[in-house]
Amino acid sequence: MRGGALLEEFRPSRGTVRFGIFELDADAGELRKQGTRMKLQEQPLQMLQVLLQRPGEVVTREELQQKIWPSDTFVDFDHGINNAIKRLREALGDTAETPRYVEPLPRRGYRFIEKIECEALRMRSLAVLPLENLSHDPQQEYFAEGLTEALITTLAKIGELRVISRTSAMLYKGVRKPLREIAKELEVDAIVEGTVLRVGHRVRITAQLIDAAKETHLWAESYERHLRDVLHLQAEVAEAIASQVHVKLTPQERAHLAQTHPVHPEAYEAYLNGVIIGYGAAVRNYRKLSSISSER
């Protein structure tokens, strides 16, 4: 399976995007014309959301298929995409012959060409909460914790982001609290949470970015890779999060994220296991020394 959000996981970027006499409220999932809400079916609306996330860029029909239609649903994708773009054009009063908003590129895809204005989301601090182990196998807890650690480490290397340490984040493992409350305690703008499912040498990570103040989803994505490509997966998730909070990566940071290499699955597992066991021992020693110190 290629990396990409399924229909139920896909979330548009937060805020209001304005173009011409229209505006898309991504939080409410509404298209408005001069302030009046327009009736637009779910798939044409999602197509508009995808196009607006990449203005001026070609979005291929294959990408639209992956993002809007679940891969396990049997439909005539060509008919579905053609019908969705037709309804979107009708709502916008646009035409394929003289497009103002959505330009068709025969046999390739579509491009949003109108100038847009958006409320940019600026966040400078976040916390990565412990990724949930979906296998429910206690023997796999070290794997989920190790990936949490790796994602925190990767994000922490982005200069414009303040990322809460693993020590602080792990205190919330299994804690059921409102995310707004957790964010307030950690003094962060956003929360990253997600799940890990490991089956053999395949690993699937689903991550979501949440506006801490409003407790609203800003972005969600699902990735599945072979374990040997786990470093690339971590870098891909980190870069996507940085993009969603509008953090500008330096050329050096982009180069660092791009410098990934395959790993040996067994060796990587041993590494994660060692990191988590070592961390656990350090915590136990710290608590023991603290207890002895307090008794004195």
Side-chain angles (χ1 to χ4, degrees):
M1 172 179 154
R2 296 178 58 183
L6 301 183
L7 176 63
E8 65 271 17
E9 296 167 335
F10 176 73
R11 298 292 187 276
S13 297
R14 173 191 168 212
T16 300
V17 181
R18 298 180 180 84
F19 53 95
I21 59 175
F22 298 95
E23 65 178 25
L24 174 71
D25 185 337
D27 290 332
E30 294 180 355
L31 176 66
R32 305 188 188 106
K33 179 180 180 180
Q34 295 178 323
T36 302
R37 180 181 177 181
M38 303 193 66
K39 293 182 179 180
L40 190 60
Q41 293 179 333
E42 187 70 13
Q43 290 174 346
L45 181 64
Q46 290 177 345
M47 181 174 287
L48 178 61
Q49 291 169 342
V50 175
L51 293 170
L52 286 174
Q53 287 176 2
R54 293 168 53 186
E57 298 182 23
V58 177
V59 180
T60 67
R61 293 173 68 90
E62 290 75 16
E63 289 176 288
L64 290 170
Q65 174 182 323
Q66 291 171 9
K67 287 183 176 292
I68 299 175
W69 285 270
S71 58
D72 59 350
T73 299
F74 180 78
V75 296
D76 183 339
F77 292 116
D78 284 335
H79 175 76
I81 290 176
N82 292 340
N83 185 58
I85 199 71
K86 176 183 177 182
R87 293 183 180 277
L88 177 57
R89 285 199 179 105
E90 289 174 351
L92 299 177
D94 209 10
T95 65
E97 293 75 20
T98 56
R100 176 179 176 182
Y101 300 108
V102 181
E103 177 187 21
L105 290 95
R107 296 182 297 279
R108 291 182 61 196
Y110 304 93
R111 175 166 50 203
F112 194 86
I113 56 176
E114 175 68 5
K115 180 180 178 181
I116 68 171
E117 299 177 6
C118 60
E119 299 173 356
L121 173 67
R122 297 183 63 83
M123 293 186 170
R124 292 294 177 264
S125 59
L126 60 82
V128 180
L129 298 187
L131 299 175
E132 181 184 356
N133 171 25
L134 285 187
S135 72
H136 302 298
D137 178 1
Q139 297 299 318
Q140 291 295 322
E141 283 298 324
Y142 79 92
F143 191 78
E145 291 187 19
L147 287 181
T148 303
E149 159 93 12
L151 183 55
I152 290 173
T153 300
T154 303
L155 284 167
K157 293 178 181 178
I158 299 175
E160 287 193 17
L161 272 180
R162 180 175 68 85
V163 182
I164 295 301
S165 71
R166 178 186 184 277
T167 303
S168 297
M170 290 305 294
L171 294 175
Y172 293 90
K173 181 178 176 66
V175 172
R176 301 302 177 189
K177 278 186 177 182
L179 292 179
R180 184 185 293 110
E181 186 176 335
I182 294 176
K184 185 176 181 180
E185 292 174 0
L186 295 175
E187 299 181 339
V188 294
D189 301 320
I191 296 287
V192 176
E193 62 176 7
T195 61
V196 177
L197 179 61
R198 187 267 180 95
V199 179
H201 283 168
R202 301 293 296 180
V203 56
R204 178 186 175 95
I205 291 182
T206 297
Q208 51 189 355
L209 180 68
I210 299 165
D211 181 330
K214 293 187 175 182
E215 290 190 329
T216 56
H217 288 82
L218 307 175
W219 164 87
E221 196 76 75
S222 181
Y223 303 83
E224 184 175 326
R225 297 285 188 278
H226 192 281
L227 188 54
R228 64 173 173 266
D229 298 319
V230 69
L231 298 183
H232 177 71
L233 184 153
Q234 293 164 12
E236 194 173 356
V237 175
E239 190 167 4
I241 291 171
S243 174
Q244 291 299 319
V245 297
H246 295 272
V247 168
K248 186 176 181 180
L249 298 175
T250 66
Q252 294 80 5
E253 288 167 346
R254 288 192 181 278
H256 177 78
L257 289 174
Q259 289 176 354
T260 60
H261 55 83
V263 299
H264 191 282
E266 284 74 18
Y268 186 75
E269 284 188 78
Y271 163 75
L272 290 184
N273 205 5
V275 167
I276 299 308
I277 291 175
Y279 175 79
V283 170
R284 287 192 295 272
N285 288 336
Y286 173 78
R287 289 174 177 170
K288 181 178 180 180
L289 290 173
S290 297
S291 175
I292 294 173
S293 176
S294 63
E295 290 175 358
R296 292 177 180 175

